[in-house]
Amino acid sequence: MKDDVKEILFTEEEIAVKVKELGQQISEDYRGEDLTVVGILKGSNIFMGDLIRKIDIPLSIDFMVVSSYGQSTESSGVVKVLKDLEYSIEGKNILIVEDIIDTGLTLDYLKENLFRRKPKSLKICTLLDKPARRKVDLKVDYVGFEIPDAFIVGYGIDYAEKYRNLPYIAVLKEEVYE
Ligand code: 5GP
């Protein structure tokens, strides 16, 4: 796996510091309120597991599994919900947790989809953001790191289902996916 990595962008330690900061900010913002954290699988799995342990207010969790890439490295814009939420979100404060926002098409679709279920509030938290690649106007409430236009793996994020277990966030060598 390591041989396929071009560059490490963020080490385990750097990620841990950032996740702690995000958790503290979210705890402050929602203190005294209910909170449901919705993880978008599979990519947000590890981030979400770490993040919720840095949030010190009571919360519930739920998950959606969506697919927008298939085996490719480009978002198709067509989002398929492979697994929906287990619980109703009506009247609840919902925080969507995503791994990366690239074109924004996936979250644009999901925001619209979840808004129709009448939550009390709906915010977005992403570990990584590639603002230069955005195709739609999307308000993102919590961002871990802004990153340049490169194909990323590690810390839960895959290429063709591999590399999720790398403990750091890295740029994949082009020859791996070209
Ligand atoms: P968007 O719809 O914003 O273009 O893409 C969002 C989804 O595409 C993310 O949830 C993530 O799963 C995937 N994605 C975006 N950029 C990357 C990347 O650099 N590497 C990997 N492995 N997946 C990405």
Side-chain angles (χ1 to χ4, degrees), residues 5-178:
V5 163
K6 183 169 160 188
E7 183 194 353
I8 295 179
L9 283 187
F10 305 106
T11 63
E12 244 185 297
E13 293 74 23
E14 287 167 328
I15 297 168
V17 168
K18 185 59 76 177
V19 170
K20 191 171 174 198
E21 279 172 22
L22 286 170
Q24 284 170 342
Q25 185 63 55
I26 291 166
S27 307
E28 273 175 39
D29 293 352
Y30 287 92
R31 202 168 299 282
E33 298 271 336
D34 70 279
L35 175 62
T36 302
V37 182
V38 170
I40 309 304
L41 296 177
K42 299 178 209 165
S44 71
N45 168 37
I46 292 177
F47 173 43
M48 169 131 162
D50 285 345
L51 180 67
I52 60 170
R53 285 178 292 173
K54 298 295 172 199
I55 300 177
D56 66 0
I57 57 168
L59 56 80
S60 308
I61 62 170
D62 207 343
F63 295 100
M64 283 179 95
V65 183
V66 304
S67 129
S68 56
Y69 271 33
Q71 299 282 304
S72 143
T73 60
E74 282 285 321
S75 183
S76 63
V78 181
V79 180
K80 269 208 314 210
V81 176
L82 304 178
K83 182 212 165 286
D84 206 342
L85 295 175
E86 194 175 341
Y87 301 108
S88 163
I89 60 168
E90 191 171 338
K92 297 192 169 153
N93 294 308
I94 302 301
L95 179 64
I96 303 176
V97 172
E98 177 63 300
D99 54 354
I100 305 191
I101 304 181
D102 187 33
T103 61
L105 290 169
T106 305
L107 270 180
D108 196 46
Y109 169 86
L110 276 179
K111 239 186 137 173
E112 189 59 37
N113 180 306
L114 295 185
F115 250 130
R116 273 189 253 121
R117 309 181 196 193
K118 303 190 174 61
K120 182 172 168 194
S121 71
L122 186 58
K123 285 192 183 182
I124 297 175
C125 172
T126 187
L127 178 64
L128 304 172
D129 188 14
K130 296 186 203 169
R133 299 254 308 164
R134 202 71 96 249
K135 287 189 180 160
V136 286
D137 188 24
L138 183 75
K139 180 168 178 277
V140 186
D141 304 277
Y142 304 97
V143 177
F145 304 101
E146 282 196 1
I147 55 168
D149 180 12
F151 194 73
I152 303 303
V153 293
Y155 195 64
I157 302 167
D158 76 313
Y159 170 63
E161 295 302 331
K162 268 178 75 182
Y163 311 105
R164 291 193 200 273
N165 54 328
L166 288 174
Y168 44 76
I169 292 168
V171 178
L172 198 60
K173 284 182 182 161
E174 283 87 359
E175 60 257 39
V176 177
Y177 55 84
E178 271 170 9

